[in-house]
Amino acid sequence: MMKDLAFTINGNAVMVRIDPHTLLLDVLRETLDLTGTKRGCGEGECGACTVVVDGEAVNSCIYPAWKVEGCNVLTVEGLGSREEVHPLQESFLEKGAVQCGFCTPGMLMSAYALLQKTREPDEKVIKKALAGNLCRCTGYKKIIEAVKDAAGKQNKL
Ligand code: FES
Ligand code: FES
C-alpha cells in the first residue's frame, strides 16, 4: 500500500507518495529528480549516496525513505549554488580535491555534517568522518586538506 511521506528537502516542504519499501536515494533521484546524489555500490559501502538527515550523514541507498517523515534532508543541491558556493565546495575546487567527481557530493555531505558539529577538526577526526566515503581518484590527501581549509573559512564567517 502506498503511503504519503512529508519532509523538508533543501529547505522546501515536500509530500511524496511512496511504497513503504522505497529507499531514500530513489525518492531523491527518481521522484524529486535530485540527481546530484550518486548511486555507487547501492549497498552502504562507498558513501557516494551520502545525504544529511537532521544533521547526520546517512547512506541514502540503504536508508528507508519512511524514516525521513518530518525530517530536514539536505543534499548537495541544497549545500550551495553557482551564485553562492558553499565554503566546502570552494575549498574542494581550490585544493584540487575533485577529479572524476563521482564521490564528491557524498564527500561534501559527510564533511558538512562534520563541520556542523566540529569547528576545528584535525586530520584524524576528518579521516574518521570520511571513512565511509570511498574515492578512487584522489588518494584522500587533497580532500582532507580541503575540509580543513573549509573549516578555517567557516570559522572566519
Ligand atoms: S551507493 Fe550508497 S553507500 Fe554506495
Ligand atoms: S574524485 Fe573520482 S572517485 Fe573521488
Side-chain angles (χ1 to χ4, degrees), residues 105-123:
M107 288 283 182
L108 287 169
M109 300 321 287
S110 290
Y112 174 85
L114 169 69
L115 295 190
Q116 291 298 101
K117 294 180 193 165
T118 317
R119 285 180 75 84
E120 286 180 55
D122 61 17
E123 190 166 328

Side-chain angles (χ1 to χ4, degrees), residues 99-101 103 135-138:
Q99 287 186 26
C100 82
C103 70
C135 177
R136 283 169 294 148
C137 310
T138 65

Side-chain angles (χ1 to χ4, degrees), residues 28-154:
L28 297 174
R29 288 184 58 90
E30 316 298 334
T31 313
L32 299 175
D33 210 20
L34 294 169
T35 52
T37 305
K38 301 299 175 213
R39 183 190 305 278
C41 65
E43 296 174 353
E45 300 291 335
C46 75
C49 63
T50 306
V51 300
V52 176
V53 177
D54 283 351
E56 299 295 331
V58 307
N59 287 327
S60 63
C61 72
I62 52 167
Y63 199 84
W66 61 262
K67 281 180 92 176
V68 304
E69 174 71 40
C71 295
N72 274 308
V73 181
L74 188 73
T75 68
V76 71
E77 286 90 349
L79 197 61
S81 62
R82 250 174 227 284
E83 297 71 39
E84 238 178 292
V85 179
H86 189 276
L88 271 166
Q89 292 168 315
E90 194 179 74
S91 295
F92 267 61
L93 289 173
E94 285 170 2
K95 298 288 173 190
V98 182
Q99 287 186 26
C100 82
F102 193 77
C103 70
T104 310
M107 288 283 182
L108 287 169
M109 300 321 287
S110 290
Y112 174 85
L114 169 69
L115 295 190
Q116 291 298 101
K117 294 180 193 165
T118 317
R119 285 180 75 84
E120 286 180 55
D122 61 17
E123 190 166 328
K124 210 170 131 200
V125 172
I126 297 172
K127 274 190 182 159
K128 194 168 167 228
L130 300 182
N133 293 83
L134 306 185
C135 177
R136 283 169 294 148
C137 310
T138 65
Y140 303 100
K141 198 167 169 274
K142 292 178 172 179
I143 293 175
I144 292 162
E145 269 173 38
V147 176
K148 253 195 219 159
D149 186 65
K153 280 183 195 158
Q154 285 207 149

